[in-house]
Amino acid sequence: MRILNFGSLNIDYVYGVDHFAAKGQTITSHALDVFPGGKGLNQSIALARAGADVHHAGQVGRDGMFLRDLLESCAVGVTSVVVRDDVRSGNAIIQNDASGDNCIVLYPGANRAIDRDFVDQVLDGYGKGDWLLLQNEISELPYIVSRAKARGMFIVLNPSPADSRLDEVDLDAIGCFVLNEGEAAMLTGPKKMGRH
């Protein structure tokens, strides 16, 4: 069994601040750290460390080539990680305040530049018996689910971030969800979750 993780790759810029910047305010951070990130990248590395045969599919800009190198160094297959010249990598600007809370601005970048031709190219060669892992941080999610279902793949979806884009996804095609209570409520409706 192979696992194809069609997922996000981000560069996280984490600023240490005493408090979050308010409207119109300029503040100085006491630290700046840059980390590899994205739910997709994190899940691929976790699967590889657990001994799974995992291959990552996604896109980065030239600024994110180190993300591809990191995946490869962790024994993740990277033949379907494309480096593009026309778009920057996805990135997050994260403020961490003194109490440990955070505030995040996400720029999807190359993660939302995925098109159907790229999807078809990636899924070629995968089929019944293979697993597909998805998160809601990339473009063409409904198309990816549809094409994977037609190929007989077992589909796992982490619907984070849960938003209206999920309304277009054939959720009946999903074999397993990885979600929290809030995401479950959004997908099933409050009455089905025992809420009034």
Side-chain angles (χ1 to χ4, degrees):
M1 175 190 80
R2 295 174 299 170
I3 300 173
L4 172 63
N5 183 6
F6 211 137
S8 57
L9 301 154
N10 284 340
I11 305 170
D12 293 345
Y13 299 91
V14 182
Y15 295 84
V17 296
D18 294 327
H19 60 85
F20 298 147
K23 181 178 179 180
Q25 181 183 31
T26 299
I27 61 175
T28 301
S29 67
H30 55 76
L32 168 61
D33 294 300
V34 181
F35 298 106
K39 295 182 194 316
L41 177 137
N42 293 338
Q43 290 177 343
S44 282
I45 290 175
L47 285 164
R49 288 179 177 168
D53 179 13
V54 60
H55 303 263
H56 195 98
Q59 298 183 154
V60 294
R62 289 282 168 196
D63 57 332
M65 290 179 66
F66 76 98
L67 300 173
R68 185 181 188 277
D69 295 341
L70 173 62
L71 287 171
E72 190 170 31
S73 73
C74 293
V76 175
V78 295
T79 56
S80 294
V81 176
V82 172
V83 179
R84 294 180 52 154
D85 291 318
D86 61 332
V87 65
R88 289 178 55 89
S89 299
N91 67 68
I93 297 173
I94 304 167
Q95 296 179 63
N96 277 345
D97 72 7
S99 64
D101 289 327
N102 63 42
C103 183
I104 302 171
V105 176
L106 181 65
Y107 168 70
N111 295 313
R112 294 273 174 92
I114 291 167
D115 61 25
R116 293 185 176 191
D117 287 341
F118 180 62
V119 173
D120 290 338
Q121 178 186 341
V122 168
L123 292 180
D124 187 35
Y126 288 91
K128 192 169 184 177
D130 294 324
W131 286 43
L132 174 66
L133 174 60
L134 297 167
Q135 314 83 33
N136 193 27
E137 292 187 329
I138 60 173
S139 55
E140 294 296 346
L141 196 63
Y143 184 74
I144 296 169
V145 169
S146 171
R147 299 309 302 146
K149 178 183 177 182
R151 289 179 167 274
M153 299 178 75
F154 184 82
I155 306 170
V156 179
L157 173 64
N158 175 346
S160 179
D163 58 29
S164 61
R165 294 186 326 124
L166 292 169
D167 294 341
E168 302 171 25
V169 176
D170 177 8
L171 299 180
D172 290 333
I174 309 303
C176 179
F177 290 92
V178 179
L179 39 64
N180 61 30
E181 184 179 3
E183 292 155 358
M186 180 175 181
L187 293 178
T188 62
K191 290 186 178 179
K192 292 181 182 178
M193 293 297 294
R195 297 178 180 168
H196 302 288

